[in-house]
Amino acid sequence: MTEFVIRTEGLVKDYGSVRALDGLDLRVEQGEVFGFLGPNGAGKSTTIRLLLDLLRPTAGRVEVFGTAPADDPSVRGHIGYLPGELAMRGRRTAGELLGHLASLRGGAGADRIAPLAERFGLALDRPVRALSKGNKQKVGVVQAFMHAPELLILDEPTSGLDPLLQREFLDLVVETQERGATVLMSSHVLSEIEDAADRVGIINAGHMVDVDDVATLRHHAGQSVELRFAHPVDVAIFAELPGVQDPVVEGATLTCVLHGEPDTLLKRAAEHHVVGWSAQYRDLEELFLDFYRLPTDTAEEVAA
Ligand SMILES: Nc1ncnc2c1ncn2[C@@H]1O[C@H](COP(=O)(O)OP(=O)(O)O)[C@@H](O)[C@H]1O
Ligand SMILES: [Mg+2]
């Protein structure tokens, strides 16, 4: 039987007249890295705050480790939480703040502050209020991971980290999974989490619209492909190829969306002189526009 570390059923949350969550069902399995994806305003942070009992549901059920967070505050001690918006003020240095947080946890993780800070290039002797957004994010990462919690709930963890540190962060997530922990991390960009996530749930307008493993989602999202030829080519030769969508030729450049394997497209292209190429997995906004066939104006609203 699958064990769910996180389970919500029909979760509803209203802020006054704004319905932020509209019957959200979320299940995160023991030991998986679950990517929680959706455009800004979709309800990711609201869901996360409900999981941590920072908010109470309007209707529906929340369970973390099999109990409602409101019924058993001790569950919080097994969770590492990285908030989406970190408020860090005061004169304390990053090292003092992190040391203080460790002492609140009975000293757990104090010995991991220095190695984690070094790994992410965080200066521990600077006052937190003087830190850049990226450095504040690093403080957030260290405090979430340092006590080796069984569950990590990370709200847009890679935002503000430069690409090299994003990679370092994803390595840390994978190591965390390898020691048996469960990870839920949100993002509005698939490419920021797809390398670490086993499954991805897409939330839009307060409910789950799709849950898939990452390979399936990549297949649905497709890749944006550009092929540059030495001479102009006829678009018709690419039109009927399997997996090729919306081929357009301008001059000697073909652009299209590719679903699945590139094999037939590459073989057809290779019949001509190819001088350049690129292929990129498309981001979530494009996936929303395309895979879910949302009308453009709705998609713009949800992405706003
Ligand atoms: N404190 C709040 N008061 C009123 N509306 C809120 C509040 N927090 C979030 N919302 C609204 O709830 C919806 C979901 O927000 P949020 O959970 O922050 O989404 P996400 O994290 O996916 O960007 C949005 O429409 C947002 O404007
Ligand atoms: Mg958010």
Side-chain angles (χ1 to χ4, degrees):
M1 204 186 80
T2 313
E3 227 181 294
F4 296 109
V5 170
I6 293 172
R7 185 185 192 126
T8 78
E9 265 172 29
L11 201 55
V12 174
K13 179 63 190 177
D14 292 337
Y15 296 105
S17 62
V18 176
R19 177 146 293 188
L21 295 183
D22 189 17
L24 183 93
D25 297 320
L26 169 69
R27 285 180 177 74
V28 179
E29 293 169 17
Q30 163 66 46
E32 75 173 331
V33 176
F34 188 94
F36 191 30
L37 254 122
N40 291 329
K44 303 180 296 294
S45 297
T46 299
T47 306
I48 285 172
R49 290 191 197 110
L50 287 160
L51 296 173
L52 290 150
D53 196 37
L54 299 170
L55 288 176
R56 295 277 162 91
T58 304
R61 285 162 50 82
V62 189
E63 273 182 17
V64 179
F65 294 116
T67 51
D71 293 346
D72 185 3
S74 75
V75 163
R76 185 64 183 83
H78 302 283
I79 304 175
Y81 171 47
L82 176 64
E85 268 140 52
L86 274 169
M88 264 181 237
R89 297 180 207 91
R91 290 167 202 284
R92 264 195 294 215
T93 66
E96 285 163 354
L97 175 66
L98 289 164
H100 175 68
L101 290 171
S103 71
L104 292 179
R105 292 168 179 149
D111 56 334
R112 290 192 74 214
I113 295 172
L116 278 169
E118 186 173 340
R119 183 167 176 180
F120 286 93
L122 170 67
L124 290 170
D125 56 357
R126 304 257 312 278
V128 284
R129 65 172 174 198
L131 297 179
S132 66
K133 181 170 183 283
N135 279 306
K136 283 184 176 147
Q137 190 71 2
K138 294 176 195 173
V139 175
V141 169
V142 173
Q143 63 79 28
F145 284 82
M146 66 189 197
H147 57 307
E150 286 161 62
L151 171 63
L152 283 125
I153 297 181
L154 311 164
D155 197 356
E156 308 254 358
T158 50
S159 74
L161 296 180
D162 68 42
L164 225 62
L165 290 174
Q166 283 188 18
R167 172 89 344 248
E168 195 63 48
F169 172 81
L170 293 179
D171 288 347
L172 180 62
V173 167
V174 171
E175 291 163 26
T176 301
Q177 181 184 33
E178 281 167 359
R179 68 165 171 78
T182 306
V183 181
L184 170 81
M185 57 178 175
S186 75
S187 180
H188 60 282
V189 191
L190 175 60
S191 62
E192 281 187 9
I193 59 167
E194 62 183 331
D195 289 345
D198 302 303
R199 287 196 307 149
V200 165
I202 295 181
I203 177 177
N204 188 29
H207 56 255
M208 285 298 217
V209 292
D210 193 32
V211 182
D212 259 319
D213 58 63
V214 167
T216 308
L217 206 72
R218 272 182 183 156
H219 180 81
H220 287 319
Q223 291 175 274
S224 295
V225 174
E226 186 182 285
L227 287 162
R228 293 188 301 282
F229 298 94
H231 306 286
V233 290
D234 181 0
V235 70
I237 62 173
F238 300 104
E240 300 297 324
L241 294 179
V244 171
Q245 180 196 326
D246 304 334
V248 173
V249 171
E250 274 173 32
T253 300
L254 166 79
T255 54
C256 67
V257 174
L258 175 70
H259 299 277
E261 290 188 353
D263 189 61
T264 36
L265 174 63
L266 289 181
K267 283 177 178 152
R268 180 61 55 89
E271 293 166 11
H272 303 264
H273 183 176
V274 183
V275 295
W277 66 284
S278 71
Q280 278 175 327
Y281 286 104
R282 300 191 307 152
D283 70 21
L284 186 69
E285 273 66 33
E286 288 172 279
L287 184 138
F288 264 89
L289 281 169
D290 185 47
F291 174 44
Y292 295 103
R293 303 282 176 205
L294 294 177
T296 310
D297 54 349
T298 317
E300 268 164 15
E301 258 167 48
V302 297

